[in-house]
Amino acid sequence: MPVPIFEEYEPARDCACPGCAHRRRTLARGRAITLRDGGHPAARGARRALVLATAAGVVLGAGTPSAPAAAKPAPGPRTVASDDPGTPQGGRSPLHGRPTSGPVGRPGAPALAKRIDRTTIINRAKTWLDARVPYSMSEYWSDGYRQDCSGYVSMAWNLGTNEWTGSLDTFATKITKEELLPGDMLLFHNPADPNKGSHVVLFGGWADETRTHYVAYEQTRPTTRKQATPYGYWNNSTKYVPYRFNGVTGGVPGAPAPGPQPAPSAFPGAGKFAAGADNPYVAELGKMLIGRGATRFYPKGASTKWSDADRAATLAFQQAQGWTGADADGVPGEHTWRLLVQGQGKDIPPLVGQAGPAGKPAYPGAVYFRPGQSHPAVAALGRQLLKKGFGTYYTSGPGPRWGEADRRNVEAFQRAQGWRGASADGFPGPETWRRLFA
């Protein structure tokens, strides 16, 4: 077999393969010999022979150099042990292929975290979601961030470095479940065995009023995903800790307040809901009742004129709270108004098998379109989504139990109406229901 001919060359400084690493050490030793011997020709010849022998050993040995036992690593920056956890997600590092402001190979410092608002964090997270970035423990996306869970959060927070689950908390402050807002993170780091269970996701908002599920943005196999997730996660749920990025500014610009919006004023008094009354408060009452399951009482929508429909809908809401007698007279009082304004109390239950206007099923109330809920209305919704051409995410069914496929299909339908943000969250309200069955 002919002996390959090699040229002496400098190995790439940023290549981490064993061959290049060994050649860098060899060249460093060669330079030291040259300096000690004053550049004597014989020393330079010995150095060249040593480099050629090493290169040949790398090729003939399938990339595994046979280094001399006495060889020592070249002096230079050394990786801190805590920055190299040996986990599948990789260690801390600068952006891949991007220049850094500090020394080469030094990860970012928490004190230098950039300021960023919550809307920008979520929009950055959506860029990988839209691009369907493949999960990888070693590959980097075009923006320089590693394509794993911690790289994803590093990207969304615009840290300028690739962090890991053992360092992300240094950029954040621990908060409570009740304080969570879009752009915060839920982190589980297992220091005893980082390979076992360690993971991090971005919090995108609550998926239901009971706060048992939330929308999680995460980088996982096979690609970036967004879905309703049980709190704190599918497994090791009690070990996920909520954190807030120290660089976050403000609340959520343009986002609606949690729960139903308050009415424009305090309770106006029972006189506004008497026979013959005609005022904006009657229309406001009707809208709030429709949102709580009273659609069947308002075939033409809410009106400013007090009617038997308003009385019947109010009575149904009061009875849903378990009230009887004078407490359930169909006329809104202070307590009824407060529950409606604050989005509290129980929704009006649907009538089994009941149909709405023109034989269409009545909206049953938002409570049945939440994780873990099961109701015939969910199956009816799914069948209508299929009929309208929005059943892409169903792999089987649809069925009576609400699931992520239902939510994603509803979201697609809502987006087709031109709705965005909280209006296209995948949870059907009265207007979504009306358009679906129109």
Side-chain angles (χ1 to χ4, degrees), residues 180-244:
L180 276 167
L181 289 172
D184 296 335
M185 75 171 175
L186 286 165
L187 173 72
F188 168 38
H189 177 64
N190 183 6
D193 185 0
N195 275 305
K196 188 175 182 181
S198 295
H199 190 48
V200 62
V201 304
L202 279 172
F203 180 82
W206 293 108
D208 58 77
E209 66 275 8
T210 63
R211 297 194 173 189
T212 58
H213 288 70
Y214 65 99
V215 176
Y217 291 85
E218 61 178 319
Q219 183 65 7
T220 187
R221 294 180 178 86
T223 62
T224 315
R225 75 181 182 188
K226 168 194 173 185
Q227 69 172 13
T229 304
Y231 189 86
Y233 197 65
W234 301 97
N235 47 41
N236 295 310
S237 59
T238 61
K239 298 180 181 179
Y240 278 77
V241 180
Y243 284 91
R244 176 159 299 156

Side-chain angles (χ1 to χ4, degrees), residues 352-388:
V352 179
Q354 180 221 351
K360 297 179 176 64
Y363 179 64
V367 68
Y368 298 104
F369 305 109
R370 292 293 182 265
Q373 294 295 319
S374 184
H375 191 271
V378 177
L381 171 82
R383 289 192 294 270
Q384 194 67 9
L385 285 166
L386 286 171
K387 183 178 178 181
K388 294 278 188 177

Side-chain angles (χ1 to χ4, degrees), residues 136-152:
S136 175
M137 301 177 292
S138 57
E139 297 297 321
Y140 296 81
W141 195 237
S142 56
D143 53 18
Y145 287 96
R146 194 174 53 245
Q147 295 167 212
D148 58 15
C149 64
S150 50
Y152 183 49

Side-chain angles (χ1 to χ4, degrees), residues 43-379:
R44 288 197 299 273
R47 173 174 171 260
R48 179 179 178 85
L50 178 60
V51 171
L52 292 177
T54 300
V58 169
V59 172
L60 298 178
T64 305
S66 54
K72 296 181 180 179
R78 300 183 66 181
T79 304
V80 181
S82 61
D83 289 345
D84 185 18
T87 70
Q89 63 184 308
R92 297 175 68 195
S93 66
L95 294 190
H96 186 72
R98 304 294 180 91
T100 59
S101 56
V104 175
R106 181 182 179 183
L112 303 178
K114 302 174 185 176
R115 307 297 287 172
I116 188 172
D117 61 74
R118 296 183 182 280
T119 298
T120 303
I121 291 175
I122 296 300
N123 286 339
R124 287 176 66 86
K126 288 178 179 178
T127 60
W128 278 27
L129 186 70
D130 294 340
R132 300 178 63 83
V133 175
Y135 177 87
S136 175
M137 301 177 292
S138 57
E139 297 297 321
Y140 296 81
W141 195 237
S142 56
D143 53 18
Y145 287 96
R146 194 174 53 245
Q147 295 167 212
D148 58 15
C149 64
S150 50
Y152 183 49
V153 173
S154 300
M155 180 278 298
W157 284 358
N158 195 24
L159 297 184
T161 58
N162 284 290
E163 301 299 320
W164 67 295
T165 56
S167 63
L168 279 170
D169 66 321
T170 63
F171 291 80
T173 300
K174 190 182 298 185
I175 58 175
T176 65
K177 175 183 176 181
E178 289 69 29
E179 295 174 303
L180 276 167
L181 289 172
D184 296 335
M185 75 171 175
L186 286 165
L187 173 72
F188 168 38
H189 177 64
N190 183 6
D193 185 0
N195 275 305
K196 188 175 182 181
S198 295
H199 190 48
V200 62
V201 304
L202 279 172
F203 180 82
W206 293 108
D208 58 77
E209 66 275 8
T210 63
R211 297 194 173 189
T212 58
H213 288 70
Y214 65 99
V215 176
Y217 291 85
E218 61 178 319
Q219 183 65 7
T220 187
R221 294 180 178 86
T223 62
T224 315
R225 75 181 182 188
K226 168 194 173 185
Q227 69 172 13
T229 304
Y231 189 86
Y233 197 65
W234 301 97
N235 47 41
N236 295 310
S237 59
T238 61
K239 298 180 181 179
Y240 278 77
V241 180
Y243 284 91
R244 176 159 299 156
F245 177 43
N246 292 332
V248 75
T249 61
V252 189
Q261 293 295 296
S265 66
F267 178 60
K272 298 292 184 181
F273 309 104
D278 188 348
N279 59 74
Y281 296 104
V282 177
E284 185 63 34
L285 171 73
K287 292 175 184 177
M288 291 191 292
L289 287 167
I290 289 173
R292 301 300 298 272
T295 305
R296 63 179 181 266
F297 298 101
Y298 295 94
K300 296 182 180 179
S303 169
T304 59
K305 295 182 179 181
W306 178 259
S307 68
D308 290 339
D310 297 297
R311 182 181 292 275
T314 302
L315 175 62
F317 179 76
Q318 292 170 334
Q319 290 175 336
Q321 314 313 309
W323 303 345
T324 59
D327 294 326
D329 58 2
V331 178
E334 247 185 281
H335 194 185
T336 300
W337 186 265
R338 184 172 68 253
L339 290 180
L340 288 169
V341 167
Q342 297 178 356
Q344 297 177 349
K346 299 178 181 179
D347 289 348
I348 299 171
L351 299 179
V352 179
Q354 180 221 351
K360 297 179 176 64
Y363 179 64
V367 68
Y368 298 104
F369 305 109
R370 292 293 182 265
Q373 294 295 319
S374 184
H375 191 271
V378 177

